[in-house]
Amino acid sequence: GAGVSQSPSNKVTEKGKDVELRCDPISGHTALYWYRQSLGQGLEFLIYFQGNSAPDKSGLPSDRFSAERTGGSVSTLTIQRTQQEDSAVYLCASRLGTWDDSGNTIYFGEGSWLTVV
Amino acid sequence: SQQGEEDPQALSIQEGENATMNCSYKTSINNLQWYRQNSGRGLVHLILIRSNEREKHSGRLRVTLDTSKKSSSLLITASRAADTASYFCATAPKTSGSRLTFGEGTQLTVNP
């Protein structure tokens, strides 16, 4: 597609349930990022993919969080046993280029707003 | 404290005035980027300035970078009500590969 696509746009889930958030990056973009943003806060880095591998997953807050990317394209962020503090906007972004070429623009999706009740 | 801290946290001006936002960071960087965010959703890339550049212009935007002070500023000239948004600086530290680190942002309100 023309831009980074994320789904669902909004998700309300009960505490303890698992959720999956999907990101479809811009075609041809090899780098893919997940960030989290709590209300009124800055962006918190979660994980970075280059192709299907994740050379930097240091931002995942706990082992309840995992992400995968298949075919060098679509990525899924999974949160198991959701907690209320997981409520946030989860933003996906993609970029053309290799890991050491940070000069290319990162394009963000509209985000998935997760509310855990 | 974190890489990429914006100042001020909030700025309210009248249409037609200039808006200046500042960003400070702590480590050596490859580049610094400014993003805009409307209503807490997706971020839009505004401008990128590389570590060997001192100033860059794009339309009504002017960005400066002072690597000796580890700071950057974003100037929006002749502001419009449509410029109302949150503005974030993001740094690409030399030691963190491709990760962009974002600050907390400046909430700009332009009053008609």
Side-chain angles (χ1 to χ4, degrees), chain B residues 55-84:
Chain B
E55 187 170 314
K56 204 162 183 178
H57 297 253
S58 176
R60 293 185 296 113
L61 305 180
R62 173 179 166 245
V63 169
T64 63
L65 179 64
D66 187 335
T67 53
S68 66
K69 295 181 179 178
K70 291 186 168 60
S71 68
S72 173
S73 67
L74 171 67
L75 168 68
I76 304 174
T77 60
S79 64
R80 306 166 183 167
D83 294 330
T84 295

Side-chain angles (χ1 to χ4, degrees), chain B residues 23-81:
Chain B
C23 170
S24 61
Y25 58 93
K26 298 187 184 302
T27 63
S28 296
I29 60 172
N30 288 320
N31 64 65
L32 184 145
Q33 304 180 35
W34 284 91
Y35 286 80
R36 167 196 167 121
Q37 183 181 42
N38 291 343
S39 304
R41 300 308 291 227
L43 279 77
V44 175
H45 180 263
L46 295 176
I47 196 165
L48 178 153
I49 186 165
R50 299 183 187 275
S51 60
N52 61 352
E53 297 176 310
R54 293 295 166 260
E55 187 170 314
K56 204 162 183 178
H57 297 253
S58 176
R60 293 185 296 113
L61 305 180
R62 173 179 166 245
V63 169
T64 63
L65 179 64
D66 187 335
T67 53
S68 66
K69 295 181 179 178
K70 291 186 168 60
S71 68
S72 173
S73 67
L74 171 67
L75 168 68
I76 304 174
T77 60
S79 64
R80 306 166 183 167

Side-chain angles (χ1 to χ4, degrees), chain A:
Chain A
V4 178
S5 178
Q6 292 188 245
S7 61
S9 298
N10 293 282
K11 175 75 175 177
V12 180
T13 190
E14 292 181 352
K15 179 181 173 181
K17 300 280 191 183
D18 297 351
V19 295
E20 284 189 353
L21 307 176
R22 176 189 166 104
C23 173
D24 198 344
I26 293 173
S27 178
H29 281 195
T30 57
L32 185 146
Y33 304 77
W34 283 99
Y35 285 84
R36 177 170 74 172
Q37 185 180 30
S38 300
L39 188 63
Q41 302 296 311
L43 275 72
E44 176 188 3
F45 170 81
L46 297 178
I47 189 169
Y48 159 67
F49 286 93
Q50 183 61 241
N52 290 337
S53 64
D56 188 351
K57 55 177 91 171
S58 61
L60 294 177
S62 75
D63 58 8
R64 296 187 296 105
F65 288 74
S66 63
E68 65 175 13
R69 189 179 185 194
T70 55
S73 182
V74 172
S75 176
T76 302
L77 176 69
T78 302
I79 309 173
Q80 296 179 311
R81 305 180 302 281
T82 52
Q83 304 294 314
Q84 288 184 329
E85 60 264 28
D86 298 335
S87 296
V89 176
Y90 289 82
L91 291 159
C92 176
S94 71
R95 181 174 63 78
L96 183 67
T98 58
W99 78 272
D100 58 351
D101 176 13
S102 60
N104 291 329
T105 300
I106 291 182
Y107 295 89
F108 281 83
E110 289 295 302
S112 292
W113 184 274
L114 175 66
T115 303
V116 182
V117 297

